[in-house]
């Protein structure tokens, strides 16, 4: 009978060792008995008589017999048996105690042959029970489920004691196992096990007063009693426990019942924990579950006493009685039981029913004629379920053809159980007792419910006749929902925090939408999305993630997107959100059916109220969905983009509520991007090209921006297309160059304003001044120091923003240095002037200006002398350029623009603002001449060595 034997302990009894009558305490799940093996001990022992059994039957074991030989008799008894050991009078007694353990999945024993006739009687009794329960329900349609369940459920107490931590069918033994096996063999009954606990709280209060009776006094605490002559008190005024007698005590007795350890044949039923079914009120017959045959309450299984002082001094006695029961109800009354049990218990009953339904449909498919396209047997996405009996072949097809009312009733109960917990789930959870909270819907329960309500057996149950008719060749269609499905009504009932809050439930909702493809279900989810979008940015992010997820079915995505757009276009909502939400909203409206595009005008109005609306056009146009909508000529998308573009271009410098900064606040890179957009974008953007040109020309850095803008391929293409905005930029650039060239080449100047020598202020002032040459005394202690300083100065020339050479002179303390400036800085001014002439030619070529618009002789000379920032001819061109300035050639006829070896570079660099860069350097000319060019960054500050 047992499946395993486990050693529990080794016991050694010395003379006087014994134990009083007791039962085994709870050890571990599956323990149903004990095996005691007595070990041989030299000399044996005397005494130690072991009594085992119950009140009606006691067995005696004389342990002293053969106690010194290996031929002693072992003892085995069930855990429910009481046992008592008399004292050992002499010697030692050693025993090994084993636990008899059976696995929870151990099969129940078959009923004995004498109970074979009971099967028919049981089936008839169940049918009569179903009829009486149906009459009771029909006669009281408005009665609550707690009252109706008394007619549909019964609890049969088991004879033996079982552990309160591991109750299972495999742990039953004796007559209990036979009864359970008989009940489980009835196909019309649902049979479970449960542990019912009856707890009593007896409170004995002490009266807070002092009284005198017959010369005796009792203190206020009631613990002591004294007499005037210090004589002992009689029993009338004292008690063994130190409390008052009955006349001086207040007693309060409270009883409570609870149910735990629900179990089915497949294992524990955690889903029934906390259900509101009071099994103590539905016993089979009129007897109480806990009273014996004489109507008395037996000794408690657990008892403890405590003393309390608040609010009144009292002694509290806690007593607990445990009773294992077999719980049974007709399968036709599952809905009534589920109504009283709660949400999670209903889930379990529905899983069992759908497993039965799957077996019925599988049998119907096998016994129906094999035709093309017959449906495959449906399956359930659930775990372990009890084994099911397959319907009899003649009844299989008829059963599957009928409407599955039990499944539909359980679905309705599930919806009502979810609705009973209300929409404010957190508040209700705090008000419910701990046991009732276990039946409240949670994330795992919602996932299971959606899996069940969208499983094949349940969907097949709604259209069973059509499915079987199609399998039999009669042809059928259907499957569409004439009314909202159970899944849609369940989602509409649940709170938003439970439907779209946890990630698991959100994924379950997406999967259910894909299976159902039902508009009512998608609408219910979209309502929750709209509610969650109002909860803040976090809720809005979750809804956007749902709408943009690749796994979201199109119908659900479009309905959620519509609700989100309605929310985003409400007054003031979009203004309070970060900037990235605007392009996301535009993607929602453009990446969907045409009816979503109607939200774009309202979205444009809401976006224009933002202070940064002028800068949002870039992010909106980068969305592929918006680009596709604009490309296919959708007027709503074009209106949105055009409105944002107009707002950006109409912004005044300095920003404001009507402009937000716009084109006036963009950096050079932003202006280039805007130029590319208005010159190569869609028509709704290119129409703002003229406004863009006006905004660029109004900026203070227009002269620096125009060359960079005209060098862009998109702008050049727009000029070739003779677009007005691009032509305006070219005209402005040409006018600017003409004004500069009309002033003629710059005059010779020795000023070098970018020179930097902070260690020597007087030398720095000289370099920045108009003098060409200066002599400095008293700065060096001798000629060697002056030479080192001059070498360091000459090496730093160019790196520190000046062009000059230092020559040391004198002797000793009279040493001095002569500093002479060079022409490199002036040549840079000349070269910049020549480049402007070349640029003017290029601008005129772009617009193909008509003849007779020359800027003058000086401009023409400069244009003829320069190419693209380099001298076009060798020595003659250089000489002409130098002579054009009227500057002397320098000592020994050497100018700063001098012939150098091919590819040689000079180490001169200096910051130079006129060229629009931060430093200067010498670069090689193609014909062996060197001139100064701007570089990007200045070198480190000069330090003398």
């Amino acid at each position: 009978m047992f499946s395993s034997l486990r050693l529990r302990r080794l016991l050694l009894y010395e003379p006087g060792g014994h134990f009083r009558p007791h039962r085994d305490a709870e050890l571990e799940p599956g323990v149903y008995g004990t095996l005691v093996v007595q070990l041989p001990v030299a000399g044996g022992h005397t005494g130690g008589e072991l009594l085992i059994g119950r009140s009606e039957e006691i067995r005696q074991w004389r342990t002293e017999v053969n106690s010194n030989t290996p031929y002693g008799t072992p003892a085995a008894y069930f855990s429910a048996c009481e046992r008592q050991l008399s004292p050992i009078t002499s010697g030692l007694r050693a025993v090994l105690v084993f636990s008899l353990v059976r696995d929870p999945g151990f099969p129940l024993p078959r009923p004995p042959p004498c109970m074979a006739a009971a099967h028919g009687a049981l089936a008839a009794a169940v049918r009569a029970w179903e009829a009486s329960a149906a009459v009771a329900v029909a006669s009281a349609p408005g009665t609550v489920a707690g009252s109706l369940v008394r007619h549909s459920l019964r609890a049969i107490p088991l004879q033996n004691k079982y552990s309160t931590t591991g109750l299972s069918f495999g742990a039953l033994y004796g007559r209990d196992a036979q009864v359970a096996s008989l009940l489980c063999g009835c196909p019309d009954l649902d049979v479970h096990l449960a542990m019912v606990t009856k707890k009593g709280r007896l409170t004995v209060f002490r009266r807070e007063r002092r009284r005198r009776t017959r010369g005796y006094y009792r203190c206020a605490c009631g613990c002591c009693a004294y007499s005037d002559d210090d004589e002992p008190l009689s029993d009338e005024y004292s008690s063994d426990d130190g409390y008052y007698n009955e006349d001086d005590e207040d007693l309060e007795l409270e009883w409570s019942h609870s149910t735990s350890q629900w179990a089915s044949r497949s294992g524990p039923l955690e889903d029934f924990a906390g259900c509101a079914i009071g099994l103590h009120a539905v016993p089979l017959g009129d007897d109480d579950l806990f009273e014996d045959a004489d109507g008395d309450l037996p000794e408690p299984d657990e008892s403890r006493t405590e003393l309390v002082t608040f609010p009144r001094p009292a002694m509290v006695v806690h007593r607990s009685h445990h009773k294992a029961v077999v719980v049974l109800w007709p399968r036709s009354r599952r809905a009534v039981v589920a109504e009283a049990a709660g949400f999670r218990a209903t889930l379990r009953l529905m899983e069992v029913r759908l497993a039965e339904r799957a077996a019925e449909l599988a049998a119907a498919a096998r016994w129906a004629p094999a035709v093309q396209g017959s449906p495959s047997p449906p399956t359930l996405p659930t775990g372990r379920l009890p084994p099911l009996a397959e319907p009899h072949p003649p009844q299989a097809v008829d059963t599957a053809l009928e409407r599955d009312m039990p499944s539909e009733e359980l679905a309705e109960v599930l919806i009502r159980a979810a609705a009973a917990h209300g929409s404010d789930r957190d508040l209700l959870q705090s008000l419910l007792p701990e046991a009732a909270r276990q039946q409240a819907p949670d994330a795992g329960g919602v996932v299971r419910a959606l899996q069940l309500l969208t499983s094949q057996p349940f969907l097949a149950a709604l259209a069973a006749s059509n499915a079987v008719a199609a399998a039999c060749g009669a042809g059928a269609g259907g499957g569409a929902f004439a009314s909202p499905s159970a899944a849609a009504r369940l989602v509409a009932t649940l709170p938003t925090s439970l439907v779209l809050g946890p990630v698991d439930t959100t994924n379950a909702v997406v999967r259910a939408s894909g299976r159902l493809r039902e508009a009512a279900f998608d609408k219910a989810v979209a309502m929750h999305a709209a509610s969650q979008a109002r909860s803040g940015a976090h809720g809005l992010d979750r809804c956007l993630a749902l709408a943009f997820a690749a796994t979201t079915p199109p119908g659900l995505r479009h309905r959620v997107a519509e609700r989100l757009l309605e929310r985003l276009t409400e007054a003031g909502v979009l203004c309070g959100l970060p900037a990235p939400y605007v392009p996301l909203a535009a993607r929602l409206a453009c990446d969907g059916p045409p009816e979503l595009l109607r939200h774009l005008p309202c979205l444009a109005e809401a976006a224009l109220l933002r202070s940064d609306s002028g800068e949002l056009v870039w992010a909106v146009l980068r969305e592929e969905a918006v680009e596709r909508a604009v490309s296919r000529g959708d007027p709503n998308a074009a209106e949105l983009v055009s409105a944002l573009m107009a707002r950006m271009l109409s912004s005044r410098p300095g920003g404001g509520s009507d402009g937000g900064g716009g084109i006036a606040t963009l950096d050079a890179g932003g202006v280039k991007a805007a130029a590319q957009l208005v010159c190569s974008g869609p028509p709704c953007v290119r129409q703002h090209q003229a406004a863009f040109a006006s905004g660029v020309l109004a900026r203070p850095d227009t002269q620096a921006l125009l060359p960079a803008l005209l060098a862009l391929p998109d702008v050049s293409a727009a000029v070739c297309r003779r677009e007005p905005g691009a032509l305006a930029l070219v005209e402005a650039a040409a006018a600017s160059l003409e004004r500069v060239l009309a002033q003629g080449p710059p005059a010779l100047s020795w000023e070098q304003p970018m020179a930097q020598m902070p260690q020597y202020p007087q030398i720095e002032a000289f370099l920045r001044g108009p003098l060409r040459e200066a002599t400095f005394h008293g700065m060096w202690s001798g000629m060697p120091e002056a030479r080192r300083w001059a070498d360091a100065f000459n090496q730093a020339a160019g790196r520190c923003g000046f062009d000059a050479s230092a020559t040391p002179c004198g002797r000793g303390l009279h040493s001095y240095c002569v500093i002479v400036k060079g022409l490199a800085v002036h040549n840079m001014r000349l070269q910049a002037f020549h480049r402007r002439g070349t640029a003017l030619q290029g601008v005129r070529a772009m617009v193909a200006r008509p003849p007779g618009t020359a800027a003058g002789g000086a401009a023409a000379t400069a244009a003829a002398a320069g190419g693209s920032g380099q001298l076009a001819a060798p020595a003659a061109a250089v000489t002409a350029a130098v002579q054009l300035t009227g500057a002397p050639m320098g000592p020994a006829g050497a100018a700063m623009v001098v012939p150098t070896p091919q590819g040689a570079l000079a180490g001169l660099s200096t910051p130079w603002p006129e060229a629009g860069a931060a430093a200067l350097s010498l670069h090689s000319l193609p014909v062996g001449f060197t001139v100064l060019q701007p570089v990007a960054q200045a070198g480190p500050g000069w330090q003398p060595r």
Side-chain angles (χ1 to χ4, degrees), residues 683-709:
C684 61
V685 177
R686 289 205 305 271
Q687 65 181 357
H688 299 282
Q689 194 179 104
F692 167 78
S694 300
V696 171
L697 296 178
R699 290 172 60 102
D701 58 347
T702 303
Q703 303 303 323
L705 283 176
L706 286 176
L709 294 180

Side-chain angles (χ1 to χ4, degrees), residues 615-627:
E615 303 174 5
L616 293 175
V617 64
W618 323 114
V620 171
L621 286 177
R622 277 196 294 266
E623 293 291 342
E624 294 182 2
V626 178
E627 184 179 356

Side-chain angles (χ1 to χ4, degrees), residues 136-461:
V137 172
S139 61
T143 308
V144 296
S147 301
L148 296 178
V149 76
R150 310 180 69 147
H151 304 282
S152 305
L153 182 143
R154 287 293 180 268
I156 303 176
L158 299 178
Q159 290 184 348
N160 301 315
K161 288 284 184 179
Y162 297 96
S163 171
T164 59
T165 58
L167 185 63
S168 64
F169 278 88
L172 302 182
Y173 58 91
R175 186 176 181 275
D176 294 339
Q178 297 176 359
V179 172
S181 178
L182 176 64
L183 295 175
C184 291
C186 181
D188 298 327
L189 284 178
D190 280 344
V191 183
H192 301 81
L193 296 179
M195 184 67 68
V196 183
T197 301
K198 182 176 183 179
K199 294 183 178 180
R201 176 187 171 95
L202 175 64
T203 306
V204 184
F205 294 101
R206 304 174 183 174
R207 293 183 180 179
E208 294 292 335
R209 65 187 181 86
R210 189 169 185 260
R211 70 177 185 176
R212 179 175 181 178
T213 304
R214 297 184 184 179
Y216 296 103
Y217 296 90
R218 191 175 297 274
C219 66
C221 67
C223 297
C224 306
Y226 306 93
S227 64
D228 292 338
D229 53 1
D230 221 8
E231 294 180 357
L233 295 178
S234 63
D235 293 339
E236 181 181 358
Y237 302 103
S238 63
S239 60
D240 294 338
D241 54 7
Y243 289 89
Y244 285 109
N245 294 325
E246 292 185 2
D247 295 338
D248 300 324
E249 295 174 345
D250 293 335
L251 304 179
E252 288 186 3
L253 181 59
E254 301 175 356
W255 292 103
S256 63
H257 297 80
S258 62
T259 305
S260 61
Q261 294 298 313
W262 283 83
S264 67
R265 294 184 62 185
S266 59
L269 284 179
E270 298 179 357
D271 293 326
F272 275 76
C275 66
I277 299 177
L279 296 181
H280 65 283
V282 288
L284 184 63
D286 298 330
D287 297 334
D288 187 88
L289 288 180
F290 296 91
E291 295 179 355
D292 55 17
D294 299 331
D296 298 329
L297 196 63
E299 290 295 324
D301 298 301
E302 299 175 4
S303 179
R304 61 185 179 89
T305 304
E306 63 177 348
L307 298 177
V308 297
T309 58
F310 182 83
R312 293 171 57 188
M315 178 181 68
V316 182
V317 180
H318 300 272
R319 296 181 177 180
S320 299
H321 302 265
H322 304 293
K323 176 65 70 173
V325 297
V326 176
V327 187
L328 62 155
W329 58 77
R331 292 186 176 179
S332 60
R333 313 310 302 167
R334 278 176 179 162
V336 178
V337 176
E339 189 90 32
F343 181 82
R344 296 183 64 86
T346 306
L347 283 177
R348 179 63 184 184
L349 294 178
M350 194 170 183
E351 288 175 354
V352 174
R353 173 55 201 161
L354 292 181
E356 297 171 353
R357 183 63 179 175
E360 295 171 0
L361 294 178
R366 283 194 295 270
W367 287 100
V371 296
Q372 183 70 22
S374 60
S376 59
T379 57
L380 266 181
T382 56
R384 297 175 54 193
L385 290 174
L388 302 173
E390 182 175 311
H392 193 267
Q395 303 174 355
V397 178
D398 295 338
T399 302
L401 283 172
E402 298 176 358
R403 185 178 181 183
D404 186 22
M405 293 301 297
S407 297
E408 298 181 15
E409 291 175 354
L410 287 174
E412 296 299 326
V413 171
L414 191 67
I415 296 172
R416 290 195 295 270
H421 290 273
S423 58
D424 196 345
R425 174 172 169 264
D426 296 334
L427 176 62
L428 186 65
Q429 286 281 54
S430 62
L431 298 178
L432 288 175
E434 181 65 27
R437 294 180 195 174
Q438 301 179 21
Q439 285 296 319
D442 58 357
V446 173
V447 172
R448 290 173 57 192
L450 291 177
Q451 288 178 343
L452 292 173
L453 296 179
T454 58
S455 61
Q456 286 183 336
F458 186 78
L459 298 181

Side-chain angles (χ1 to χ4, degrees), residues 818-830:
V818 179
I819 301 179
V820 181
K821 297 179 182 178
L823 288 173
V825 176
H826 177 67
N827 290 340
M828 281 291 300
R829 298 190 186 101
L830 286 178

Side-chain angles (χ1 to χ4, degrees), residues 569-641:
T569 53
E570 293 179 2
V573 174
L574 200 61
C575 293
L577 294 174
Y581 284 92
V582 177
L584 289 178
R587 190 203 303 181
L588 275 179
C590 296
D591 192 11
E595 52 266 22
L596 290 181
L597 295 172
R598 61 183 177 85
H599 294 280
L600 284 176
C602 298
L603 183 62
E605 296 179 4
L608 291 178
L609 296 177
R610 296 176 58 94
S611 61
D612 59 347
S613 59
E615 303 174 5
L616 293 175
V617 64
W618 323 114
V620 171
L621 286 177
R622 277 196 294 266
E623 293 291 342
E624 294 182 2
V626 178
E627 184 179 356
R628 289 195 300 268
V630 173
S631 300
R632 63 175 177 259
D634 181 77
N636 295 308
E639 180 181 354
L640 171 66
V641 175

